[in-house]
Amino acid sequence: MITEELMKSISVSSPAKMVMLVIDGLGGLPVNGKTEMEQSQIPNLDKLASKSICGLTDPISPGVTPGSGPSHLALFGYDPMKYQIGRGVLEASGIGVELAEGDLAARGNFATIDENGIIIDRRAGRISTEKNRALCDLLGDGIEEMEGVKITIRPGKEHRFVILFKGEGLEDRLTDADPQKNGKPSVPATAISDGATFSERIVNRFIKEATQLLKSQESANTVLLRGFSQIPKIPSMTELFKIRPAAIAIYPMYKGIARLVGMDVLDAGETIGDEIETLGGHFHEYDFFYVHIKNPDMFGEDGNFPGKVRAIEEVDEFIPDILDLEPDVFVVTGDHSTPSVLKTHSWHPNPVLLFSKFIRTDAVDRFDERSCVLGGLGRIPATSIMPLMLANALKLNKYGA
Amino acid sequence: MITEELMKSISVSSPAKMVMLVIDGLGGLPVNGKTEMEQSQIPNLDKLASKSICGLTDPISPGVTPGSGPSHLALFGYDPMKYQIGRGVLEASGIGVELAEGDLAARGNFATIDENGIIIDRRAGRISTEKNRALCDLLGDGIEEMEGVKITIRPGKEHRFVILFKGEGLEDRLTDADPQKNGKPSVPATAISDGATFSERIVNRFIKEATQLLKSQESANTVLLRGFSQIPKIPSMTELFKIRPAAIAIYPMYKGIARLVGMDVLDAGETIGDEIETLGGHFHEYDFFYVHIKNPDMFGEDGNFPGKVRAIEEVDEFIPDILDLEPDVFVVTGDHSTPSVLKTHSWHPNPVLLFSKFIRTDAVDRFDERSCVLGGLGRIPATSIMPLMLANALKLNKYGA
């Protein structure tokens, strides 16, 4: 991929409008000979494919299964191996905690420790989510601040929570304060760079004070923290591409990733219909729209093949509404594959179609994994999608004389 | 792409002959369903394609439109993002000025400055080319040398000229001495690295002395200089690939680029027929020939679709003459696309065919953009073409044991 410096030097603004429709977990694997896409009735996407240029993208590199962070960064035109979004940051984004540069985020568990300092249950007997909420309030009220660092604790499901340390001088190069297995002694977080010694002190002091506050609890009498991370120092899409980008996503994690790259996050409502309505309502305000569709991935993760088929078919119904807005460049793709047979993200490349005035159409007239193999885009890195969209929107100047 | 060190370590000389036919701006976009290539009658290229392996190349990276400098460097096997050819160097090459390492080149305009130092016409009323010649002679005679730096001035068309500073200690990290807009004060060149302070002094002294010499001129009473650049320190093709390369090009810019990478530049005449005659006449002297065809790009830039079709058809007539020379490896491709509908270079990948004894032929029997999508080479970076030619000429040893 080209360098960020080069991108900044050739990108220019233009009035052209771009829409990137990301169908989460779109690609699949055959069951009885057909993938979820191949099984689906998607006349609108098929028709659009016949007027588009199609292909396949690799989010990271062939064979590498991406998480949602790297797969989205690649689609947004960032090197997914240069910028890493840590687990703490992703979880915090996932439950809607807004992060600023320098904030230190981590995932937490309530856990059970015995009198000898041995962690005997890393999940504190899977306490209820209600109990979790009460304990997070207890800790939040008891430990608001330490040495100028503000603490925010947000409950997740059962024994899980997210913690945010907000203050000057924090760094995320810390080992997990989590022995990872029951029956082992608790471990402190340890700085793995000189800059992280202050973080180390704050984190371990927090664990100590929290354990003190939880002393009288039956099972949840300590906390484990892991996945310490800060948001990467990442140039905004506006800085790199000179665009005004907006995100339309229902789930907090995708809003969080979009916010990290400088998108305005619009109120997307609750359904695909709401999302497309949001797109139409704001179409004059921005020149790049990221629209995220979650359901196909969820059904894929559940191993629900017919459910994923129906979820893909549901997206198809909204394609005419998007085309009615007359975007200059329209891309439909996935962030990664989630084959129902694997019940998880996979390494398989993503089908992609790109629709614009300035394409060489190809012979593909069916939007699925195997039809896209013969598409005119060939098999390209996912990081090429953003430059191709910009080029088709005439937003990239010539490189070199 | 592989490193230059690795290339040097595996390349060996062999008697095999290679011809790279570069049809400038070859690729296009459909008008009424067909691209310029698809519309053209090119039976010889089609027949050759059916005996070759075909594909598509990206000059820089998908979505990035290249200038002629980077697109040719990529075809010649150089990383086009590592070596950059500045505007001054390219213009100097373009009018046939020979450059040595360390020479500082810039583009110049004769311009009109008022008594308050405001540039009121950046083009001096577009003086005639004859007037331009006379003024360049005036400046050349008046300012031959400054502090050991020799000055060469060559007229271009109308108000344009090229200037070359030749001497020790020059560097090109200078801002333009050009306000870029009428109605603004003249600006000096400013060094943007410590090493360029001597260049800064020389350039600004030249502008001052030139303005003194032009004092009595009605409109062309000062000069603006921009695009300061030096030829990149680039290893020769002989050094990298152990070949004896020759260039056959009619236009000076392409001769200039070929000279930069160490090719012998042959006298190519005025027509494609002359070029192919030159190829035949020197075929025994070299083992690599770069043959450049300009017309399809010119018609593309003019938005002349039928003209570009005819220009491609004209090339086709000479294919048998090239084949009669029995090159061991023969590549036909473009340096970049120039679709008539865009009237400029574009980002679309280039069709390529590679003919040799040692290929796996594919099903492609028509030489155009969409047929090449299904070619055996797939979609590859343009920097891969040179290694593939060398491999097919058995000029690359095995890497590793």
Side-chain angles (χ1 to χ4, degrees):
Chain A
M1 63 185 297
I2 67 168
T3 63
E4 290 174 1
E5 281 317 300
L6 176 53
M7 179 51 79
K8 283 184 204 170
S9 75
I10 61 175
S11 61
V12 289
S13 66
S14 88
K17 303 270 186 193
M18 303 175 282
V19 175
M20 179 189 278
L21 180 67
V22 178
I23 305 174
D24 207 309
L26 179 61
L29 282 172
V31 170
N32 299 324
K34 285 188 174 182
T35 68
E36 298 89 332
M37 291 182 83
E38 288 169 337
Q39 188 64 49
S40 66
Q41 302 292 318
I42 45 172
N44 295 308
L45 282 165
D46 290 346
K47 193 173 157 199
L48 181 61
S50 75
K51 297 189 286 185
S52 300
I53 184 163
C54 299
L56 290 169
T57 62
D58 286 293
I60 313 294
S61 188
V64 179
T65 298
S68 299
S71 68
H72 272 83
L73 283 182
L75 280 176
F76 297 155
Y78 295 83
D79 181 346
M81 290 187 280
K82 175 173 176 186
Y83 298 108
Q84 298 190 20
I85 307 181
R87 199 68 224 187
V89 167
L90 211 62
E91 290 285 321
S93 304
I95 60 168
V97 176
E98 282 200 38
L99 289 148
E101 230 176 65
D103 293 353
L104 179 67
R107 304 167 74 189
N109 275 15
F110 287 105
T112 314
I113 190 167
D114 73 8
E115 63 275 15
N116 302 315
I118 304 295
I119 301 296
I120 53 174
D121 186 348
R122 287 185 62 255
R123 296 180 181 85
R126 290 192 186 273
I127 50 168
S128 70
T129 302
E130 290 69 42
K131 177 75 178 168
N132 180 346
R133 283 207 197 99
L135 293 177
C136 285
D137 285 345
L138 174 75
L139 294 185
D141 293 342
I143 319 171
E144 286 186 356
E145 202 185 303
M146 292 185 315
E147 301 184 39
V149 175
K150 205 170 156 285
I151 315 279
T152 306
I153 302 165
R154 290 282 165 80
K157 283 196 176 142
E158 298 174 333
H159 53 281
R160 302 176 191 93
F161 62 88
V162 164
I163 182 164
L164 197 70
F165 299 87
K166 192 185 269 293
E168 292 294 311
L170 295 169
E171 278 196 21
D172 63 1
R173 305 277 292 154
L174 286 179
T175 61
D176 289 345
D178 182 343
Q180 315 287 354
K181 272 187 178 170
N182 291 337
K184 300 225 168 189
S186 71
V187 291
T190 307
I192 49 181
S193 80
D194 288 346
T197 49
F198 177 58
S199 301
E200 177 190 289
R201 188 169 76 237
I202 293 294
V203 163
N204 291 327
R205 195 178 138 190
F206 170 81
I207 295 170
K208 197 173 160 193
E209 292 187 14
T211 306
Q212 192 61 30
L213 285 169
L214 297 167
K215 207 168 49 179
S216 59
Q217 299 295 321
E218 200 175 324
S219 62
N221 62 353
T222 191
V223 294
L224 306 174
L225 301 184
R226 63 191 186 281
F228 293 100
S229 45
Q230 294 175 298
I231 58 174
K233 282 192 182 62
I234 191 164
S236 73
M237 291 183 92
T238 302
E239 202 181 325
L240 283 180
F241 309 129
K242 304 194 182 70
I243 57 174
R244 284 166 302 139
I248 300 172
I250 295 169
Y251 285 74
M253 187 193 293
Y254 308 95
K255 296 183 190 184
I257 298 168
R259 222 176 261 122
L260 281 183
V261 295
M263 292 194 212
D264 277 3
V265 175
L266 305 180
D267 182 0
E270 302 286 327
T271 65
I272 303 182
D274 293 345
E275 289 187 281
I276 304 308
E277 207 169 295
T278 302
L279 177 66
H282 293 267
F283 203 65
H284 60 291
E285 292 172 44
Y286 300 91
D287 56 0
F288 177 86
F289 294 88
Y290 153 59
V291 183
H292 179 260
I293 307 285
K294 180 66 180 169
N295 287 353
D297 177 63
M298 293 204 314
F299 285 109
E301 297 252 9
D302 287 347
N304 185 339
F305 188 99
K308 187 173 164 191
V309 170
R310 279 194 309 274
I312 294 169
E313 290 174 344
E314 190 193 0
V315 182
D316 188 68
E317 293 166 27
F318 292 94
I319 299 300
D321 295 335
I322 299 176
L323 289 173
D324 281 348
L325 297 170
E326 299 185 358
D328 298 280
V329 184
F330 183 22
V331 158
V332 183
T333 190
D335 55 343
H336 55 75
S337 296
T338 305
S340 308
V341 290
L342 288 174
K343 297 188 182 183
T344 183
H345 294 198
S346 80
W347 61 91
H348 303 88
N350 303 307
V352 59
L353 68 76
L354 187 155
F355 174 71
S356 114
K357 249 193 310 214
F358 304 117
I359 51 168
R360 300 171 183 155
T361 53
D362 53 32
V364 179
D365 58 5
R366 179 72 179 90
F367 192 51
D368 62 46
E369 299 87 344
R370 284 184 274 207
S371 301
C372 285
V373 167
L374 301 179
L377 288 174
R379 180 172 180 160
I380 54 177
T383 50
S384 293
I385 293 299
M386 198 68 212
L388 282 170
M389 290 184 78
L390 294 164
N392 276 279
L394 306 183
K395 289 179 197 279
L396 292 184
N397 278 336
K398 191 164 66 173
Y399 164 60
Chain B
M1 61 185 298
I2 68 167
T3 64
E4 292 174 0
E5 281 317 299
L6 176 53
M7 179 52 78
K8 284 183 202 170
S9 75
I10 61 174
S11 61
V12 289
S13 65
S14 88
K17 304 273 190 193
M18 302 175 282
V19 175
M20 179 190 279
L21 180 67
V22 178
I23 305 175
D24 208 308
L26 178 61
L29 280 174
V31 169
N32 299 323
K34 284 187 174 184
T35 69
E36 298 89 332
M37 292 183 82
E38 288 170 337
Q39 187 65 49
S40 66
Q41 301 292 318
I42 46 174
N44 296 307
L45 281 165
D46 290 347
K47 195 173 156 198
L48 181 60
S50 74
K51 296 188 286 185
S52 300
I53 184 164
C54 297
L56 291 168
T57 64
D58 286 293
I60 312 295
S61 186
V64 179
T65 298
S68 299
S71 67
H72 272 82
L73 284 183
L75 280 176
F76 297 155
Y78 295 84
D79 181 346
M81 290 190 277
K82 176 173 175 184
Y83 299 109
Q84 299 191 19
I85 308 180
R87 196 73 222 187
V89 167
L90 211 63
E91 289 284 319
S93 304
I95 61 170
V97 176
E98 283 200 37
L99 290 148
E101 229 175 66
D103 292 355
L104 179 68
R107 306 167 72 190
N109 274 14
F110 287 105
T112 314
I113 191 167
D114 72 9
E115 63 275 14
N116 302 314
I118 304 295
I119 302 297
I120 53 175
D121 186 348
R122 287 184 63 254
R123 297 180 180 85
R126 289 192 184 272
I127 52 169
S128 71
T129 303
E130 291 67 41
K131 179 73 178 169
N132 179 348
R133 282 207 197 97
L135 293 176
C136 285
D137 285 347
L138 175 74
L139 295 185
D141 292 344
I143 318 171
E144 286 186 353
E145 203 185 303
M146 291 184 318
E147 302 184 39
V149 176
K150 205 171 155 283
I151 315 278
T152 306
I153 302 165
R154 291 281 166 79
K157 284 196 174 143
E158 300 175 331
H159 52 281
R160 303 177 189 91
F161 63 87
V162 163
I163 183 163
L164 198 68
F165 299 88
K166 193 185 269 290
E168 293 295 310
L170 295 168
E171 277 196 21
D172 63 1
R173 304 276 294 156
L174 286 179
T175 62
D176 290 345
D178 183 342
Q180 312 288 357
K181 273 188 179 172
N182 291 335
K184 300 225 168 187
S186 70
V187 291
T190 306
I192 48 181
S193 80
D194 288 347
T197 50
F198 177 58
S199 301
E200 176 189 289
R201 187 167 78 238
I202 293 294
V203 163
N204 290 327
R205 194 177 139 192
F206 170 81
I207 295 170
K208 197 173 162 193
E209 292 187 16
T211 306
Q212 192 62 27
L213 285 169
L214 297 168
K215 205 167 51 178
S216 59
Q217 298 296 320
E218 202 175 320
S219 62
N221 62 354
T222 192
V223 293
L224 306 174
L225 300 184
R226 65 190 185 283
F228 294 100
S229 45
Q230 295 176 296
I231 58 174
K233 284 191 180 62
I234 190 165
S236 73
M237 290 183 91
T238 302
E239 201 179 326
L240 282 181
F241 309 128
K242 304 195 181 70
I243 58 175
R244 284 165 303 138
I248 301 173
I250 295 170
Y251 285 74
M253 187 195 292
Y254 309 94
K255 296 183 189 183
I257 299 169
R259 221 176 262 121
L260 282 183
V261 295
M263 292 193 210
D264 277 3
V265 175
L266 306 180
D267 182 1
E270 302 285 326
T271 64
I272 302 181
D274 294 346
E275 290 187 281
I276 304 307
E277 208 169 293
T278 302
L279 177 67
H282 293 267
F283 204 66
H284 60 292
E285 293 173 43
Y286 301 91
D287 57 359
F288 177 87
F289 295 89
Y290 153 59
V291 183
H292 179 259
I293 307 286
K294 179 66 180 167
N295 287 354
D297 177 63
M298 294 205 311
F299 285 109
E301 297 251 8
D302 288 347
N304 185 339
F305 189 100
K308 187 174 164 189
V309 170
R310 280 195 307 277
I312 294 169
E313 289 174 345
E314 191 193 358
V315 182
D316 188 68
E317 293 166 25
F318 293 93
I319 298 301
D321 295 337
I322 300 175
L323 289 172
D324 282 350
L325 297 169
E326 299 185 358
D328 298 280
V329 184
F330 184 21
V331 159
V332 183
T333 189
D335 54 342
H336 55 75
S337 295
T338 305
S340 308
V341 290
L342 287 174
K343 296 188 180 182
T344 184
H345 294 196
S346 80
W347 61 91
H348 303 88
N350 303 306
V352 59
L353 68 77
L354 187 154
F355 173 72
S356 111
K357 248 189 313 210
F358 306 116
I359 50 168
R360 300 173 185 153
T361 53
D362 52 33
V364 179
D365 57 4
R366 179 71 179 89
F367 191 49
D368 62 46
E369 300 88 344
R370 285 185 273 205
S371 300
C372 285
V373 167
L374 302 180
L377 288 175
R379 179 171 184 165
I380 55 176
T383 50
S384 295
I385 294 298
M386 198 68 213
L388 282 170
M389 291 184 77
L390 294 163
N392 276 279
L394 306 184
K395 289 179 196 283
L396 293 185
N397 278 337
K398 189 163 65 175
Y399 165 61

